[in-house]
Each structure stands twice: as structure tokens, then as C-alpha cells.
């Protein structure tokens, strides 16, 4: 799964919409589509996604197994 679809689906699993337009704080914020920025910002703010080196989100990249597991573990730790 790509990083972007994973980021968009996870706020829904936490009971949050994540659809609000926002800036994400990532250096490549302009590469993140507007429809995904709210979800990316929500997950980043809650510490669920961290991005890659150089403060890059890399929205076109595929998520590695390690990245996927990290996101899932962070979701479990941050449930509210």
C-alpha cells in the first residue's frame, strides 16, 4: 500500500474525519494532494506518522513493512 492511502484511511479508524484542509508541516507539503492534507496533518500531530528523513512525507512512495507496522503500533498507543 502506498503511504498516502494509508494516511488517509487511518484517521477514520480512529474516529476522526481527517478531511479538514491543513498544512502538514512536512517539507514536501506542496506534493501532498489537498484532499489528503487533513488526514496527514491529523496523524502527524498525534505522532502516528513521522515521515522520512529530511522532514519528507514522500506521498508517492510505497510504505515498507516496517513503516506500516510503526503506524499501526502508534495507532494502538494513541487511541483515545
Amino acid at each position: 500500500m502506498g503511504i498516502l492511502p494509508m494516511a488517509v484511511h487511518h484517521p477514520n479508524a480512529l474516529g476522526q474525519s481527517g478531511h479538514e484542509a491543513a498544512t502538514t508541516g512536512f517539507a514536501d507539503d506542496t506534493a501532498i494532494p489537498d484532499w489528503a492534507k487533513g488526514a496527514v496533518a491529523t496523524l502527524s500531530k498525534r505522532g502516528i506518522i513521522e515521515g522520512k528523513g529530511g522532514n519528507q512525507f514522500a506521498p508517492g512512495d510505497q510504505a515498507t513493512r516496517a513503516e506500516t507496522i510503526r503506524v499501526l503500533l502508534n495507532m494502538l498507543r494513541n487511541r483515545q
Side-chain angles (χ1 to χ4, degrees), residues 14-77:
L14 294 170
Q16 298 181 351
S17 70
H19 294 296
E20 309 82 30
T23 57
T24 63
F26 288 106
D28 57 351
D29 181 75
T30 57
I32 301 169
D34 288 339
W35 55 266
K37 285 186 181 186
V40 172
T42 297
L43 294 177
S44 177
K45 180 180 174 184
R46 292 189 66 185
I48 294 171
I49 57 171
E50 300 166 0
K52 299 184 180 230
N55 193 35
Q56 300 286 316
F57 181 70
D61 286 5
Q62 292 292 313
T64 66
R65 285 180 281 187
E67 290 168 335
T68 302
I69 290 168
R70 179 177 284 175
V71 167
L72 293 172
L73 289 174
N74 288 343
M75 282 181 58
L76 290 172
R77 290 183 189 125

